[in-house]
Amino acid sequence: MDPNKQKEEFSRGYVQSLAAAAGFSVSEPSVDDDSIDLTFHRTGGKGTIRSPRFDAQLKCSAQALPTTDFGFSLKLKNYDDLRVPSGQLAVHRILVVVLVPDDPADWARYATAHLPLKHGAYWLNLAGMPTSTNKTAQSVTIPFGQSFTVDSLLAIMDVVGNGGTP
């Protein structure tokens, strides 16, 4: 398999496993023409919005696990699609970057009691970011403190379910 396709598939599985653990369903648009790979859904909900949802663009990068905020280069089309101000969207959008080791054999290693998936995922809401003067890509800074985990996924959905912006 092409290494980029391999990363794409792994990131999708990684994020879907977190959604399942959080109790959310995930859907996938039949065509990714709006920089949306997955939509996360909560049935019912605990907030003011019934059945909240949000969209995510997934990316995967082979690099060491960061210890501080880190840069990520995003295609300009994805950047522009994700930076639309939240007030102009029916559904909020975030970027999720899954980081993996260089060697695909190290991404998931079976152990008797668990299946660790390496390294981790981080998220960023680009809504309202400025127009880029670049022609092909825009670098964004992913906050180290915004790990994409079961707990953060639950927190994002709670914010969205109460009418807020993630």
Side-chain angles (χ1 to χ4, degrees), residues 8-152:
E8 182 179 328
E9 288 299 315
F10 184 82
S11 66
R12 186 177 313 278
Y14 187 101
V15 168
Q16 285 180 311
S17 68
L18 296 176
F24 301 153
S25 61
V26 177
S27 63
E28 184 177 338
S30 59
V31 176
D32 175 14
D33 61 356
D34 204 19
S35 298
I36 302 304
D37 292 313
L38 296 175
T39 299
F40 296 84
H41 311 261
R42 173 187 265 168
T43 302
K46 302 175 183 175
T48 58
I49 308 250
R50 181 159 173 78
S51 300
R53 66 187 59 208
F54 67 90
D55 294 329
Q57 169 73 45
L58 305 181
K59 295 295 180 187
C60 188
S61 177
Q63 64 186 66
L65 196 58
T67 56
T68 63
D69 297 355
F70 62 98
F72 184 80
S73 183
L74 197 57
K75 288 181 184 175
L76 194 55
K77 184 220 184 294
N78 296 140
Y79 177 78
D80 284 340
D81 287 345
L82 295 173
R83 70 178 192 82
V84 174
S86 293
Q88 296 178 12
L89 296 170
V91 179
H92 296 288
R93 298 175 178 181
I94 64 169
L95 170 67
V96 177
V97 179
V98 177
L99 302 180
V100 295
D102 287 328
D103 185 353
D106 292 332
W107 296 357
R109 293 243 181 215
Y110 175 77
T112 303
H114 60 281
L115 176 66
L117 304 177
K118 297 183 181 176
H119 287 302
Y122 298 84
W123 70 278
L124 177 66
N125 184 343
L126 280 74
M129 296 283 269
T131 302
S132 176
T133 57
N134 300 336
K135 300 292 182 204
T136 59
Q138 176 64 43
S139 182
V140 296
T141 301
I142 310 291
F144 174 70
Q146 287 190 182
S147 297
F148 195 74
T149 63
V150 172
D151 288 340
S152 67

